Amino acid sequence: MSKTLEEVETESHTALNSELADSRIFLNAVVELVGKSAQSLRNEDLAVQNSATRVAVLLGIRLINDARGVSLLARIGYGMQAASLASSIYEIAHTLAYIGADNALANQWFDHDKVLSTPFGDILKVTKGGLKKLGIPEQSAFGEYQVYSQLCMAKHGNPLLQQQHGLKVSNETVTPQTGPDTSDDSIRLCRFAMEMSGSSILIALQSFISNHAPEEARPNLQSYHHLLQQEFVKLRQSAIKRWGKEDPNPGKWRTK
């Protein structure tokens, strides 16, 4: 008797539990910090807050829910779908940083009325602008944007990535594979989606804490933020140790 998809997903979750444990714990901790940062405003009436703070809270809520989605997808072996959602997390997180404490930009966000475009256009411009406000060198924007580009490869079904997923190779036979994937390639993508989601949200948090959290709450939030940045570095080092850091598409990334 064949297994139902739900049964296969349950088995996949069990198989991936230890593989993704550190990435899951990291992302959960990042989400917890978003919650703590938002709670620092709990005595404030959001309706009377400035536009930038209101946008930051709205986007922060979205980041919490999207991060949960990435975690759930990755934990049962849907790496391509997790990476697709992680690309949206990147966009939202960097938009939050781009707006920062600028009420004029926040009002532009609120007033946006076009269905087929985003309020601020080119995401690389948004990335550069947000990082500049955080005191991060512009050159770092291209590294961040390369991460975004990799996530978008999943979102757009780019053949360079898609050909590595959705197929099962067994005894030199290649067959289509639907449902969860627990292969090494999938584990790598699931980890990447979770860890890069957390990294993007840390950028949004750096902006939120600096611009919107009450001054008395900032030291504790910034301390926790620093610890999570260190944890992210450890996770990336672990991934490099396991899979290396060779660029599979050298010279093909946007640099200007």
Side-chain angles (χ1 to χ4, degrees):
M1 181 177 178
S2 61
K3 299 176 183 177
T4 66
L5 181 58
E6 289 78 8
E7 289 171 334
V8 174
E9 288 173 347
T10 298
E11 291 179 355
S12 177
H13 179 272
T14 300
L16 293 173
N17 187 52
S18 61
E19 289 279 8
L20 302 179
D22 291 342
S23 303
R24 183 184 71 251
I25 292 169
F26 165 69
L27 185 55
N28 286 346
V30 172
V31 168
E32 181 181 349
L33 183 55
V34 177
K36 288 180 181 294
S37 300
Q39 287 172 9
S40 71
L41 297 171
R42 63 182 177 275
N43 295 324
E44 306 289 339
D45 182 357
L46 192 59
V48 300
Q49 288 293 315
N50 61 54
S51 298
T53 298
R54 285 188 284 126
V55 171
V57 171
L58 285 172
L59 295 183
I61 292 169
R62 173 65 187 272
L63 289 172
I64 288 175
N65 292 333
D66 281 2
R68 181 60 177 163
V70 168
S71 183
L72 290 171
L73 286 166
R75 287 160 63 185
I76 56 174
Y78 289 103
M80 292 289 279
Q81 290 68 33
S84 298
L85 184 52
S87 71
S88 294
I89 286 178
Y90 179 101
E91 294 166 355
I92 294 165
H94 282 271
T95 295
L96 192 157
Y98 180 72
I99 293 172
D102 191 327
N103 290 313
L105 287 176
N107 288 331
Q108 184 178 336
W109 186 88
F110 276 117
D111 294 339
H112 183 72
D113 64 354
K114 294 179 174 61
V115 174
L116 300 179
S117 67
T118 55
F120 308 116
D122 184 12
I123 193 65
L124 179 57
K125 179 195 79 172
V126 170
T127 302
K128 288 180 178 180
L131 294 184
K132 182 178 180 180
K133 289 181 177 180
L134 297 174
I136 299 174
E138 179 178 298
Q139 191 56 36
S140 297
F142 294 105
E144 291 292 325
Y145 191 82
Q146 182 172 326
V147 168
Y148 173 63
S149 299
Q150 292 176 75
L151 296 171
C152 283
M153 289 174 72
K155 179 165 66 174
H156 299 146
N158 187 300
L160 291 171
L161 180 63
Q162 188 65 57
Q163 292 181 81
Q164 301 171 25
H165 301 270
L167 299 174
K168 183 176 182 179
V169 180
S170 178
N171 297 323
E172 299 184 355
T173 300
V174 180
T175 55
Q177 179 181 12
T178 59
D181 182 355
T182 59
S183 68
D184 192 62
D185 283 338
S186 179
I187 292 169
R188 183 178 186 179
L189 185 56
C190 288
R191 280 191 54 171
F192 186 73
M194 296 172 79
E195 291 164 19
M196 293 309 163
S197 292
S199 177
S200 295
I201 296 172
L202 285 176
I203 289 171
L205 275 165
Q206 187 174 344
S207 176
F208 189 97
I209 294 167
S210 299
N211 293 310
H212 309 292
E215 190 169 343
E216 65 274 12
R218 291 175 189 173
N220 285 339
L221 296 174
Q222 288 169 337
S223 178
Y224 194 10
H225 184 274
H226 180 66
L227 289 174
L228 290 175
Q229 286 182 313
Q230 292 179 319
E231 184 60 28
F232 171 72
V233 171
K234 292 178 183 177
L235 288 169
R236 286 292 82 206
Q237 291 172 339
S238 170
I240 290 172
K241 183 177 180 180
R242 177 168 175 176
W243 290 291
K245 59 179 181 179
E246 181 180 354
D247 184 350
N249 303 293
K252 297 181 179 180
W253 308 106
R254 184 173 175 182
T255 57
K256 63 179 180 178

